[in-house]
């Protein structure tokens, strides 16, 4: 799938104000500065659809974008950034957890992880929370261009081992991307396309 059109629809902090449309949607989330805006812009072939900012933690809203007129991409606030106020810092803000619990249109979350780092507790906690709440997700490693292939593979393996050693019986789909080089996006979009087709078959559109 190629993204031909991508258009901003609405930003808000309440799940009940999200678009009422039954279109399938996919939510992108990760720690602040993980490269989420860059990835969204790269997937959509646009320079500034999602805001890339030098001040992490700035996008504190649920942002809906309509893609190819037939699915929603959702840009969620980055979690775990230390400079936001204490109340905001509450690791996973309730409007985010409400979004995941209540949003029936959500087909899959994409949890973004900076490939340069060892598994971080906050990311592991978040994916554990998704698992406990039976929310489907895939892992998207970002900034792959910043490591040599060998180091990238090592970090990836470490992540898989960490997951399998804890609560997980099997691994979720995993994508390795670089927004700078434009790699990994095609596989991610092909996966979304596949899920959209399954969704449409099951809901007899
Ligand atoms: P966000 O806070 O998760 O939306 O992160 P941004 O997209 O704003 O990116 C944070 C920083 O990482 C910026 O300085 C980006 O230029 C940089 N960045 C994002 N993606 C990549 C990537 O694939 N490769 C490299 N080398 N840098 C990246």
């Amino acid at each position: 799938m190629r993204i031909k059109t991508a258009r901003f629809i609405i930003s808000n902090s309440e799940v009940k104000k999200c678009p009422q449309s039954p279109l399938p949607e996919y939510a992108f989330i990760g720690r602040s500065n993980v490269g989420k805006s860059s990835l969204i812009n790269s997937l959509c072939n646009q320079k500034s659809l999602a805001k890339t900012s030098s001040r992490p933690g700035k996008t504190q809203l649920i942002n809906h974008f309509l893609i190819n007129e037939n699915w929603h991409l959702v840009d969620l606030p980055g979690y775990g950034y230390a400079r936001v106020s204490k109340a905001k810092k509450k690791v996973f803000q309730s409007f985010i957890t409400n979004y995941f619990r209540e949003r029936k249109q959500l087909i899959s979350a994409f949890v973004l992880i900076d490939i340069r780092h060892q598994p971080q507790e906050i990311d592991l906690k978040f994916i554990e929370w998704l698992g406990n709440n039976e929310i489907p997700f895939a892992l998207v490693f970002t900034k792959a261009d910043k490591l040599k292939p060998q180091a990238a593979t090592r970090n990836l393996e470490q992540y898989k081992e960490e997951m399998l050693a804890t609560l997980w019986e099997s691994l979720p789909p995993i994508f390795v991307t670089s927004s700078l080089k434009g790699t990994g996006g095609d596989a991610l979009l092909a996966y979304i396309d596949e899920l959209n087709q399954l969704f449409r078959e099951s809901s007899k559109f």
Side-chain angles (χ1 to χ4, degrees):
M1 168 177 55
R2 278 188 63 77
I3 293 187
K4 293 189 195 112
T5 58
R7 165 157 79 79
F8 170 73
I9 302 294
I10 194 169
S11 290
N12 64 74
S13 60
E14 282 179 68
V15 63
K16 62 175 188 293
K17 290 189 185 159
C18 289
Q20 291 304 307
S21 124
L23 291 175
E25 70 187 41
Y26 301 86
F28 288 68
I29 190 164
R31 273 188 297 143
S32 298
N33 218 32
V34 68
K36 179 166 53 72
S37 310
S38 304
L39 180 67
I40 292 172
N41 290 335
S42 154
L43 291 174
C44 296
N45 295 312
Q46 293 200 21
K47 279 213 171 87
S48 54
L49 187 68
K51 307 262 182 298
T52 36
S53 81
S54 52
R55 185 151 65 88
K58 218 170 105 184
T59 43
Q60 291 295 320
L61 295 166
I62 302 169
N63 303 293
H64 272 77
F65 298 94
L66 179 63
I67 309 296
N68 290 349
E69 305 291 329
N70 71 4
W71 56 276
H72 281 128
L73 184 157
V74 182
D75 181 7
L76 291 174
Y79 53 71
Y81 182 62
R83 250 168 61 189
V84 293
S85 71
K86 231 187 193 155
K88 279 191 179 161
K89 201 176 146 194
K90 225 186 84 195
V91 181
F92 311 123
Q93 300 170 50
S94 56
F95 76 90
I96 303 180
T97 48
N98 288 345
Y99 167 84
F100 282 111
R101 284 207 187 96
E102 293 171 25
R103 191 70 177 159
K104 302 274 182 289
Q105 294 89 331
L106 181 71
I107 305 289
S108 178
F110 289 100
V111 181
L112 273 55
I113 292 166
D114 189 325
I115 201 162
R116 291 173 298 171
H117 307 310
Q118 312 272 307
Q120 305 277 305
E121 199 187 341
I122 192 165
D123 294 320
L124 294 168
K125 264 202 171 137
F126 183 66
I127 57 184
E128 184 183 335
W129 183 89
L130 289 173
N132 288 341
N133 286 276
E134 297 180 357
I135 294 154
F137 68 93
L139 297 183
V140 180
F141 289 88
T142 61
K143 309 189 189 182
D145 60 277
K146 291 214 180 204
L147 290 183
K148 295 209 167 87
Q150 228 179 359
T153 307
R154 192 186 58 226
N155 284 4
L156 207 60
E157 289 309 315
Q158 211 173 355
Y159 224 97
K160 290 182 190 170
E161 275 169 30
E162 180 86 29
M163 283 187 76
L164 291 173
T166 51
L167 282 178
W168 303 90
E169 282 169 16
S170 59
L171 291 168
I174 290 175
F175 301 94
V176 178
T177 65
S178 160
S179 305
L180 191 79
K181 302 255 183 210
T183 51
D186 288 352
L188 202 160
L189 291 175
Y191 178 65
I192 292 179
D193 204 23
E194 203 180 296
L195 294 180
N196 278 341
Q197 280 174 29
L198 288 173
F199 171 79
R200 297 219 147 86
E201 279 159 22
S202 70
S203 56
K204 300 193 183 77
F205 252 74

